[in-house]
Amino acid sequence: MRAGLARLAIDCGSATTTAVLAWPDGSWSPLLFDGEPALPSAVLVAGDGSVVTGQRAWQAATADPQRFIPRPRRPADEQVSVADVQVAPADLVAATLRRVIDEAHRMAGGPVEDVRLVVPAGWGPRRRTWLRQAAHRAGLAQPRLVEAPVAVASDALASGVQLPVGSVVVVCDLGAGVEVSVLRRGSAGFEVLSTLADPDAGGDAIDAALTAALFPGGVPVGDGWALAVSLRTAKHALVRHAAVTVPVPSGPAVVVNHLVVEQAARPVLVRAAGVVRDAVDAAEVDPTTIAALWCVGGTAQMSLVADVMAAETGLRPLLVPDPLVAAARGAADAGGRDIGQAASVGEPVPSVWRAVAIGVPGFASLALVSHALFTPTWHSGLMREWAFMNWGEVAMASVFAVIACLAAGTVLGSTLAARADSGVALSVGAQVATGILTSAWLGVAVVGMYAVVGSQYIGTGLGAFLRWTLVPVVPMLVVAMVLALIAFRQWRTPRGGWSDFLAFPVSSVVTAAVGMMLVQWSLPATYAPGMEVWLGVGQRVGGVLIGVGVITALVSGWWLRLVMGVPFAILTATLVGRYNTGTVAGLYVVAATVWWLGRLWARILYTAPAQPRRSLPLPGPPHS
């Protein structure tokens, strides 16, 4: 069988779980559970501690409602109480995942190694880590995480939708609730511009409104879950029938038709359309430039969805084929798409320019350390000559060496990750993280070599060289290691991949390196008669260039660089001198460290807050 070549993608939603198996030839097949492509995510914890999943859990809920949990997917730190016993939600989700894995193994004819899990785009590191823990308890070693709207957009491309690079689309996932994401297609994949969610604008709210319409006086006592099962079955049956009779355990049956369902659903879908408008506003894009509104999820199968979305948003809604499994199908790369359109949280192949740019800080580092060692000012001493070193030049050489090593390691790791199907055993995140960590230690080795060679060549103690080579780069190395952990956990893959995200500004390296070399060239001014004026000009110009390099590393945008760079360059030109090159270089070391801290801030410490929404007074779910 083709188990080793198969790709399994699981979309573990709050209401239903779907899964798709795909193969390299582009073929794919949804997993079926009790004859249906959707496995209810609900579970029931039996008295012996075992967990009943799917449709069997719903059927058992009528007899033992206290042990039934319709929505086991909870916040990471929330516990569930079943018969006065605390149960971890991760264990409940793991039970559903184990059932999916068993069905996948049966269909594939053996274990499936390539497994992807679909996650909402709005989930942060804690919830993603929680899902990984649930997957680990289910027996999945290292699944790849795939953001749901990116998977849906990639699936649409695979189905033949024409979408030029730069186009903006909206993905509306209508499941138990609604999650709306605005995406822009780039050359390396899709970028999520904004994401908003509302749990009261999806299938759960429609069920509650339908229940309230059918039973104005309230659900009969004891009929809660049994009636909920009947209504779920009736909603599915209305796809093929004009009307359906819903049995009521303690009373006469009721008739449900399309008109009743649409009357209950319309206010909820109008609310969902409001989330679409808010998400577009949060993305700060012109609504007239949006290429499409793609609707997915179980609730998206209602014919009313397209009419309400078109009327309320002004966008052209498009129901993705098989909307229930669209996210899982896209995550599985069904159709054999080009790697640039892959939905997974993977790495694009670094550009040629990015690879070439590695050499700029590397050559700058070698030039600075060589210049510092070959052009010291020598003074006579009682026993032997001693050298007056430009320690600032040595410190900047060390910083550039570490930047070059980290750039090389990141590009190498990203290249291997982008070719993850070439037989490499490590996951995408692990390959990128390995590249970063390896290059960090290489940077330590290089600056250590600078210290040893320099101390031997100049004939001075090793301690002074270590202070000016190793100490300035320690903060950068610590931040790089934290970023490697983030890459390994695959929490949030940057736009364009890690190699572009960790690309230190080349213009900053060039200007600062040239500036420091000019400063070093101008230091022996008192020993070069007739050159005092030119060496003085060179010293000031060098200070200006170092100031420009500092601002270029700290600020993006040419106008802001100009406004801030001019006064700062004048300041560094004034400060630079024979005895304070270390101070000026220290400014650049701080700027480089702040740049790396900015990378860390953008990846883990800051997330754009979602706009809160006021809840509508909809009735709650049925209960017994």
Side-chain angles (χ1 to χ4, degrees), residues 312-356:
E312 296 292 329
T313 67
L315 302 177
R316 179 174 59 87
L318 173 65
L319 182 63
V320 175
D322 300 316
L324 195 61
V325 298
R329 188 174 55 217
D333 294 341
R337 291 187 292 282
D338 181 81
I339 193 168
Q341 300 172 355
S344 61
V345 186
E347 282 293 303
V349 178
S351 63
V352 176
W353 161 247
R354 179 72 189 96
V356 173

mmCIF file of all heavy atoms in Angstrom, residues 312-356:
data_model
loop_
_atom_site.group_PDB
_atom_site.id
_atom_site.type_symbol
_atom_site.label_atom_id
_atom_site.label_comp_id
_atom_site.label_asym_id
_atom_site.label_seq_id
_atom_site.Cartn_x
_atom_site.Cartn_y
_atom_site.Cartn_z
ATOM 1 N N GLU A 312 -25.393 41.806 2.653
ATOM 2 C CA GLU A 312 -24.885 42.523 3.818
ATOM 3 C C GLU A 312 -23.456 43.029 3.653
ATOM 4 O O GLU A 312 -23.063 43.988 4.304
ATOM 5 C CB GLU A 312 -24.957 41.602 5.047
ATOM 6 C CG GLU A 312 -26.361 41.207 5.452
ATOM 7 C CD GLU A 312 -27.151 42.390 5.976
ATOM 8 O OE1 GLU A 312 -26.538 43.306 6.567
ATOM 9 O OE2 GLU A 312 -28.389 42.408 5.804
ATOM 10 N N THR A 313 -22.659 42.373 2.817
ATOM 11 C CA THR A 313 -21.251 42.760 2.690
ATOM 12 C C THR A 313 -20.925 43.431 1.366
ATOM 13 O O THR A 313 -19.902 44.114 1.254
ATOM 14 C CB THR A 313 -20.338 41.533 2.851
ATOM 15 O OG1 THR A 313 -20.535 40.634 1.745
ATOM 16 C CG2 THR A 313 -20.639 40.801 4.145
ATOM 17 N N GLY A 314 -21.733 43.212 0.347
ATOM 18 C CA GLY A 314 -21.415 43.744 -0.971
ATOM 19 C C GLY A 314 -20.358 42.944 -1.692
ATOM 20 O O GLY A 314 -19.934 43.323 -2.788
ATOM 21 N N LEU A 315 -19.893 41.826 -1.100
ATOM 22 C CA LEU A 315 -18.887 40.979 -1.732
ATOM 23 C C LEU A 315 -19.566 39.823 -2.453
ATOM 24 O O LEU A 315 -20.704 39.476 -2.173
ATOM 25 C CB LEU A 315 -17.924 40.422 -0.675
ATOM 26 C CG LEU A 315 -17.183 41.461 0.173
ATOM 27 C CD1 LEU A 315 -16.330 40.767 1.230
ATOM 28 C CD2 LEU A 315 -16.309 42.361 -0.702
ATOM 29 N N ARG A 316 -18.837 39.255 -3.379
ATOM 30 C CA ARG A 316 -19.369 38.134 -4.164
ATOM 31 C C ARG A 316 -19.018 36.827 -3.463
ATOM 32 O O ARG A 316 -17.878 36.367 -3.535
ATOM 33 C CB ARG A 316 -18.780 38.152 -5.569
ATOM 34 C CG ARG A 316 -19.251 36.997 -6.460
ATOM 35 C CD ARG A 316 -18.724 37.205 -7.871
ATOM 36 N NE ARG A 316 -17.276 37.279 -7.892
ATOM 37 C CZ ARG A 316 -16.467 36.218 -7.997
ATOM 38 N NH1 ARG A 316 -16.979 35.013 -8.065
ATOM 39 N NH2 ARG A 316 -15.155 36.371 -8.044
ATOM 40 N N PRO A 317 -19.983 36.215 -2.745
ATOM 41 C CA PRO A 317 -19.660 34.978 -2.030
ATOM 42 C C PRO A 317 -19.509 33.799 -2.979
ATOM 43 O O PRO A 317 -20.195 33.699 -3.995
ATOM 44 C CB PRO A 317 -20.858 34.794 -1.086
ATOM 45 C CG PRO A 317 -21.980 35.485 -1.800
ATOM 46 C CD PRO A 317 -21.373 36.630 -2.561
ATOM 47 N N LEU A 318 -18.587 32.915 -2.628
ATOM 48 C CA LEU A 318 -18.341 31.723 -3.429
ATOM 49 C C LEU A 318 -18.256 30.529 -2.490
ATOM 50 O O LEU A 318 -17.422 30.509 -1.580
ATOM 51 C CB LEU A 318 -17.039 31.849 -4.223
ATOM 52 C CG LEU A 318 -16.579 30.602 -4.988
ATOM 53 C CD1 LEU A 318 -17.563 30.269 -6.088
ATOM 54 C CD2 LEU A 318 -15.175 30.795 -5.553
ATOM 55 N N LEU A 319 -19.149 29.559 -2.688
ATOM 56 C CA LEU A 319 -19.118 28.344 -1.883
ATOM 57 C C LEU A 319 -18.046 27.420 -2.443
ATOM 58 O O LEU A 319 -18.110 26.991 -3.597
ATOM 59 C CB LEU A 319 -20.481 27.650 -1.901
ATOM 60 C CG LEU A 319 -20.585 26.375 -1.053
ATOM 61 C CD1 LEU A 319 -20.381 26.701 0.421
ATOM 62 C CD2 LEU A 319 -21.939 25.703 -1.271
ATOM 63 N N VAL A 320 -17.033 27.153 -1.625
ATOM 64 C CA VAL A 320 -15.945 26.275 -2.038
ATOM 65 C C VAL A 320 -16.494 24.858 -2.198
ATOM 66 O O VAL A 320 -17.331 24.412 -1.395
ATOM 67 C CB VAL A 320 -14.822 26.302 -0.989
ATOM 68 C CG1 VAL A 320 -13.730 25.300 -1.322
ATOM 69 C CG2 VAL A 320 -14.239 27.706 -0.889
ATOM 70 N N PRO A 321 -16.074 24.118 -3.227
ATOM 71 C CA PRO A 321 -16.525 22.725 -3.370
ATOM 72 C C PRO A 321 -16.244 21.906 -2.118
ATOM 73 O O PRO A 321 -15.176 22.012 -1.519
ATOM 74 C CB PRO A 321 -15.708 22.215 -4.564
ATOM 75 C CG PRO A 321 -15.371 23.446 -5.347
ATOM 76 C CD PRO A 321 -15.189 24.536 -4.330
ATOM 77 N N ASP A 322 -17.222 21.107 -1.710
ATOM 78 C CA ASP A 322 -17.111 20.308 -0.481
ATOM 79 C C ASP A 322 -16.647 21.173 0.689
ATOM 80 O O ASP A 322 -15.571 20.969 1.259
ATOM 81 C CB ASP A 322 -16.133 19.148 -0.671
ATOM 82 C CG ASP A 322 -16.551 18.212 -1.776
ATOM 83 O OD1 ASP A 322 -17.746 17.883 -1.842
ATOM 84 O OD2 ASP A 322 -15.681 17.826 -2.587
ATOM 85 N N PRO A 323 -17.448 22.186 1.062
ATOM 86 C CA PRO A 323 -16.989 23.156 2.073
ATOM 87 C C PRO A 323 -16.678 22.528 3.418
ATOM 88 O O PRO A 323 -15.896 23.075 4.194
ATOM 89 C CB PRO A 323 -18.158 24.145 2.174
ATOM 90 C CG PRO A 323 -19.351 23.385 1.717
ATOM 91 C CD PRO A 323 -18.842 22.457 0.644
ATOM 92 N N LEU A 324 -17.267 21.365 3.710
ATOM 93 C CA LEU A 324 -17.033 20.741 5.003
ATOM 94 C C LEU A 324 -15.597 20.249 5.155
ATOM 95 O O LEU A 324 -15.033 20.269 6.257
ATOM 96 C CB LEU A 324 -18.009 19.573 5.195
ATOM 97 C CG LEU A 324 -18.164 19.012 6.608
ATOM 98 C CD1 LEU A 324 -18.683 20.082 7.547
ATOM 99 C CD2 LEU A 324 -19.088 17.811 6.604
ATOM 100 N N VAL A 325 -14.970 19.808 4.053
ATOM 101 C CA VAL A 325 -13.619 19.246 4.119
ATOM 102 C C VAL A 325 -12.606 20.124 3.401
ATOM 103 O O VAL A 325 -11.473 19.695 3.162
ATOM 104 C CB VAL A 325 -13.587 17.821 3.525
ATOM 105 C CG1 VAL A 325 -14.472 16.890 4.321
ATOM 106 C CG2 VAL A 325 -13.999 17.831 2.058
ATOM 107 N N ALA A 326 -12.982 21.362 3.053
ATOM 108 C CA ALA A 326 -12.095 22.219 2.262
ATOM 109 C C ALA A 326 -10.789 22.503 2.990
ATOM 110 O O ALA A 326 -9.699 22.437 2.395
ATOM 111 C CB ALA A 326 -12.805 23.524 1.917
ATOM 112 N N ALA A 327 -10.860 22.813 4.295
ATOM 113 C CA ALA A 327 -9.642 23.130 5.040
ATOM 114 C C ALA A 327 -8.729 21.911 5.148
ATOM 115 O O ALA A 327 -7.511 22.013 4.947
ATOM 116 C CB ALA A 327 -9.995 23.662 6.428
ATOM 117 N N ALA A 328 -9.303 20.755 5.445
ATOM 118 C CA ALA A 328 -8.487 19.536 5.538
ATOM 119 C C ALA A 328 -7.892 19.179 4.188
ATOM 120 O O ALA A 328 -6.734 18.761 4.097
ATOM 121 C CB ALA A 328 -9.335 18.385 6.080
ATOM 122 N N ARG A 329 -8.678 19.357 3.119
ATOM 123 C CA ARG A 329 -8.165 19.036 1.783
ATOM 124 C C ARG A 329 -7.017 19.968 1.401
ATOM 125 O O ARG A 329 -6.008 19.536 0.831
ATOM 126 C CB ARG A 329 -9.303 19.144 0.773
ATOM 127 C CG ARG A 329 -8.956 18.659 -0.634
ATOM 128 C CD ARG A 329 -10.180 18.663 -1.498
ATOM 129 N NE ARG A 329 -10.811 19.979 -1.519
ATOM 130 C CZ ARG A 329 -12.121 20.191 -1.544
ATOM 131 N NH1 ARG A 329 -12.949 19.167 -1.533
ATOM 132 N NH2 ARG A 329 -12.611 21.412 -1.570
ATOM 133 N N GLY A 330 -7.158 21.245 1.730
ATOM 134 C CA GLY A 330 -6.075 22.179 1.431
ATOM 135 C C GLY A 330 -4.840 21.904 2.260
ATOM 136 O O GLY A 330 -3.713 22.013 1.772
ATOM 137 N N ALA A 331 -5.024 21.535 3.536
ATOM 138 C CA ALA A 331 -3.877 21.235 4.390
ATOM 139 C C ALA A 331 -3.131 20.001 3.916
ATOM 140 O O ALA A 331 -1.915 19.891 4.090
ATOM 141 C CB ALA A 331 -4.339 21.047 5.830
ATOM 142 N N ALA A 332 -3.848 19.068 3.308
ATOM 143 C CA ALA A 332 -3.214 17.840 2.813
ATOM 144 C C ALA A 332 -2.545 18.021 1.463
ATOM 145 O O ALA A 332 -1.990 17.071 0.916
ATOM 146 C CB ALA A 332 -4.257 16.724 2.720
ATOM 147 N N ASP A 333 -2.607 19.250 0.913
ATOM 148 C CA ASP A 333 -2.034 19.510 -0.415
ATOM 149 C C ASP A 333 -2.649 18.589 -1.459
ATOM 150 O O ASP A 333 -1.960 18.089 -2.350
ATOM 151 C CB ASP A 333 -0.513 19.330 -0.424
ATOM 152 C CG ASP A 333 0.199 20.369 0.426
ATOM 153 O OD1 ASP A 333 -0.432 21.406 0.712
ATOM 154 O OD2 ASP A 333 1.355 20.150 0.802
ATOM 155 N N ALA A 334 -3.953 18.324 -1.337
ATOM 156 C CA ALA A 334 -4.633 17.487 -2.322
ATOM 157 C C ALA A 334 -4.593 18.167 -3.675
ATOM 158 O O ALA A 334 -4.916 19.336 -3.805
ATOM 159 C CB ALA A 334 -6.082 17.247 -1.902
ATOM 160 N N GLY A 335 -4.169 17.456 -4.684
ATOM 161 C CA GLY A 335 -4.040 18.035 -6.016
ATOM 162 C C GLY A 335 -2.607 18.270 -6.414
ATOM 163 O O GLY A 335 -2.332 18.632 -7.548
ATOM 164 N N GLY A 336 -1.668 18.072 -5.460
ATOM 165 C CA GLY A 336 -0.253 18.178 -5.810
ATOM 166 C C GLY A 336 0.165 19.561 -6.254
ATOM 167 O O GLY A 336 0.787 19.731 -7.283
ATOM 168 N N ARG A 337 -0.154 20.598 -5.436
ATOM 169 C CA ARG A 337 0.169 21.975 -5.825
ATOM 170 C C ARG A 337 1.655 22.221 -5.818
ATOM 171 O O ARG A 337 2.440 21.494 -5.225
ATOM 172 C CB ARG A 337 -0.488 22.967 -4.849
ATOM 173 C CG ARG A 337 -1.956 23.003 -4.962
ATOM 174 C CD ARG A 337 -2.475 24.121 -4.098
ATOM 175 N NE ARG A 337 -2.280 23.843 -2.698
ATOM 176 C CZ ARG A 337 -3.048 23.031 -1.991
ATOM 177 N NH1 ARG A 337 -3.998 22.353 -2.589
ATOM 178 N NH2 ARG A 337 -2.849 22.860 -0.707
ATOM 179 N N ASP A 338 2.009 23.331 -6.427
ATOM 180 C CA ASP A 338 3.383 23.824 -6.382
ATOM 181 C C ASP A 338 3.711 24.229 -4.963
ATOM 182 O O ASP A 338 2.867 24.693 -4.210
ATOM 183 C CB ASP A 338 3.550 25.025 -7.315
ATOM 184 C CG ASP A 338 4.971 25.550 -7.299
ATOM 185 O OD1 ASP A 338 5.816 24.981 -7.989
ATOM 186 O OD2 ASP A 338 5.208 26.542 -6.600
ATOM 187 N N ILE A 339 4.960 24.084 -4.568
ATOM 188 C CA ILE A 339 5.344 24.352 -3.184
ATOM 189 C C ILE A 339 5.092 25.789 -2.783
ATOM 190 O O ILE A 339 4.873 26.116 -1.632
ATOM 191 C CB ILE A 339 6.827 23.978 -2.954
ATOM 192 C CG1 ILE A 339 7.140 23.960 -1.459
ATOM 193 C CG2 ILE A 339 7.758 24.956 -3.649
ATOM 194 C CD1 ILE A 339 8.464 23.343 -1.144
ATOM 195 N N GLY A 340 5.114 26.716 -3.733
ATOM 196 C CA GLY A 340 4.858 28.107 -3.408
ATOM 197 C C GLY A 340 3.445 28.363 -2.977
ATOM 198 O O GLY A 340 3.143 29.397 -2.401
ATOM 199 N N GLN A 341 2.532 27.426 -3.247
ATOM 200 C CA GLN A 341 1.143 27.596 -2.868
ATOM 201 C C GLN A 341 0.761 26.688 -1.710
ATOM 202 O O GLN A 341 -0.400 26.574 -1.369
ATOM 203 C CB GLN A 341 0.231 27.273 -4.062
ATOM 204 C CG GLN A 341 0.482 28.151 -5.264
ATOM 205 C CD GLN A 341 -0.291 27.688 -6.468
ATOM 206 O OE1 GLN A 341 -0.950 26.660 -6.456
ATOM 207 N NE2 GLN A 341 -0.223 28.445 -7.527
ATOM 208 N N ALA A 342 1.728 26.040 -1.113
ATOM 209 C CA ALA A 342 1.422 25.080 -0.055
ATOM 210 C C ALA A 342 0.801 25.777 1.125
ATOM 211 O O ALA A 342 1.156 26.874 1.479
ATOM 212 C CB ALA A 342 2.703 24.357 0.385
ATOM 213 N N ALA A 343 -0.129 25.083 1.754
ATOM 214 C CA ALA A 343 -0.836 25.683 2.880
ATOM 215 C C ALA A 343 -0.144 25.472 4.202
ATOM 216 O O ALA A 343 -0.465 26.115 5.167
ATOM 217 C CB ALA A 343 -2.239 25.088 2.953
ATOM 218 N N SER A 344 0.762 24.567 4.278
ATOM 219 C CA SER A 344 1.332 24.236 5.563
ATOM 220 C C SER A 344 2.209 25.353 6.080
ATOM 221 O O SER A 344 2.644 26.230 5.359
ATOM 222 C CB SER A 344 2.164 22.951 5.447
ATOM 223 O OG SER A 344 3.220 23.133 4.545
ATOM 224 N N VAL A 345 2.468 25.294 7.407
ATOM 225 C CA VAL A 345 3.323 26.282 8.021
ATOM 226 C C VAL A 345 4.754 25.889 7.716
ATOM 227 O O VAL A 345 5.509 25.455 8.563
ATOM 228 C CB VAL A 345 3.065 26.346 9.537
ATOM 229 C CG1 VAL A 345 3.840 27.480 10.159
ATOM 230 C CG2 VAL A 345 1.585 26.518 9.807
ATOM 231 N N GLY A 346 5.151 25.985 6.483
ATOM 232 C CA GLY A 346 6.452 25.572 6.025
ATOM 233 C C GLY A 346 7.290 26.749 5.588
ATOM 234 O O GLY A 346 7.012 27.888 5.906
ATOM 235 N N GLU A 347 8.326 26.490 4.816
ATOM 236 C CA GLU A 347 9.282 27.504 4.424
ATOM 237 C C GLU A 347 9.354 27.627 2.913
ATOM 238 O O GLU A 347 9.472 26.616 2.220
ATOM 239 C CB GLU A 347 10.673 27.135 4.942
ATOM 240 C CG GLU A 347 10.875 27.414 6.416
ATOM 241 C CD GLU A 347 10.872 28.892 6.726
ATOM 242 O OE1 GLU A 347 11.679 29.632 6.151
ATOM 243 O OE2 GLU A 347 10.045 29.313 7.539
ATOM 244 N N PRO A 348 9.270 28.849 2.370
ATOM 245 C CA PRO A 348 9.559 29.029 0.957
ATOM 246 C C PRO A 348 11.059 28.944 0.708
ATOM 247 O O PRO A 348 11.859 29.173 1.616
ATOM 248 C CB PRO A 348 9.027 30.448 0.683
ATOM 249 C CG PRO A 348 9.124 31.144 1.994
ATOM 250 C CD PRO A 348 8.841 30.092 3.035
ATOM 251 N N VAL A 349 11.434 28.599 -0.514
ATOM 252 C CA VAL A 349 12.849 28.540 -0.861
ATOM 253 C C VAL A 349 13.431 29.949 -0.841
ATOM 254 O O VAL A 349 12.874 30.859 -1.453
ATOM 255 C CB VAL A 349 13.039 27.919 -2.260
ATOM 256 C CG1 VAL A 349 14.513 27.899 -2.637
ATOM 257 C CG2 VAL A 349 12.462 26.519 -2.292
ATOM 258 N N PRO A 350 14.536 30.197 -0.096
ATOM 259 C CA PRO A 350 15.119 31.538 -0.061
ATOM 260 C C PRO A 350 15.533 31.998 -1.453
ATOM 261 O O PRO A 350 15.958 31.205 -2.298
ATOM 262 C CB PRO A 350 16.341 31.365 0.856
ATOM 263 C CG PRO A 350 16.028 30.158 1.685
ATOM 264 C CD PRO A 350 15.232 29.254 0.790
ATOM 265 N N SER A 351 15.416 33.294 -1.690
ATOM 266 C CA SER A 351 15.774 33.845 -2.990
ATOM 267 C C SER A 351 17.287 33.837 -3.185
ATOM 268 O O SER A 351 18.064 33.717 -2.236
ATOM 269 C CB SER A 351 15.259 35.285 -3.099
ATOM 270 O OG SER A 351 15.877 36.113 -2.129
ATOM 271 N N VAL A 352 17.692 33.963 -4.459
ATOM 272 C CA VAL A 352 19.127 34.001 -4.776
ATOM 273 C C VAL A 352 19.784 35.206 -4.118
ATOM 274 O O VAL A 352 20.892 35.122 -3.570
ATOM 275 C CB VAL A 352 19.321 34.029 -6.308
ATOM 276 C CG1 VAL A 352 20.802 34.177 -6.650
ATOM 277 C CG2 VAL A 352 18.755 32.763 -6.940
ATOM 278 N N TRP A 353 19.085 36.360 -4.139
ATOM 279 C CA TRP A 353 19.645 37.564 -3.523
ATOM 280 C C TRP A 353 19.858 37.353 -2.024
ATOM 281 O O TRP A 353 20.851 37.806 -1.461
ATOM 282 C CB TRP A 353 18.734 38.752 -3.757
ATOM 283 C CG TRP A 353 18.980 39.899 -2.812
ATOM 284 C CD1 TRP A 353 18.152 40.361 -1.854
ATOM 285 C CD2 TRP A 353 20.175 40.700 -2.725
ATOM 286 N NE1 TRP A 353 18.725 41.391 -1.171
ATOM 287 C CE2 TRP A 353 19.981 41.626 -1.685
ATOM 288 C CE3 TRP A 353 21.379 40.708 -3.410
ATOM 289 C CZ2 TRP A 353 20.934 42.565 -1.320
ATOM 290 C CZ3 TRP A 353 22.347 41.640 -3.048
ATOM 291 C CH2 TRP A 353 22.117 42.555 -2.028
ATOM 292 N N ARG A 354 18.930 36.645 -1.393
ATOM 293 C CA ARG A 354 19.073 36.400 0.041
ATOM 294 C C ARG A 354 20.311 35.564 0.312
ATOM 295 O O ARG A 354 21.033 35.807 1.290
ATOM 296 C CB ARG A 354 17.815 35.674 0.542
ATOM 297 C CG ARG A 354 17.852 35.348 2.023
ATOM 298 C CD ARG A 354 17.691 36.600 2.867
ATOM 299 N NE ARG A 354 17.942 36.287 4.264
ATOM 300 C CZ ARG A 354 19.095 36.466 4.881
ATOM 301 N NH1 ARG A 354 20.128 36.965 4.240
ATOM 302 N NH2 ARG A 354 19.234 36.177 6.161
ATOM 303 N N ALA A 355 20.587 34.584 -0.532
ATOM 304 C CA ALA A 355 21.777 33.754 -0.348
ATOM 305 C C ALA A 355 23.051 34.557 -0.590
ATOM 306 O O ALA A 355 24.042 34.426 0.139
ATOM 307 C CB ALA A 355 21.720 32.543 -1.277
ATOM 308 N N VAL A 356 23.028 35.415 -1.616
ATOM 309 C CA VAL A 356 24.213 36.228 -1.926
ATOM 310 C C VAL A 356 24.481 37.238 -0.817
ATOM 311 O O VAL A 356 25.633 37.532 -0.468
ATOM 312 C CB VAL A 356 24.023 36.940 -3.280
ATOM 313 C CG1 VAL A 356 25.154 37.929 -3.538
ATOM 314 C CG2 VAL A 356 23.958 35.913 -4.407
#
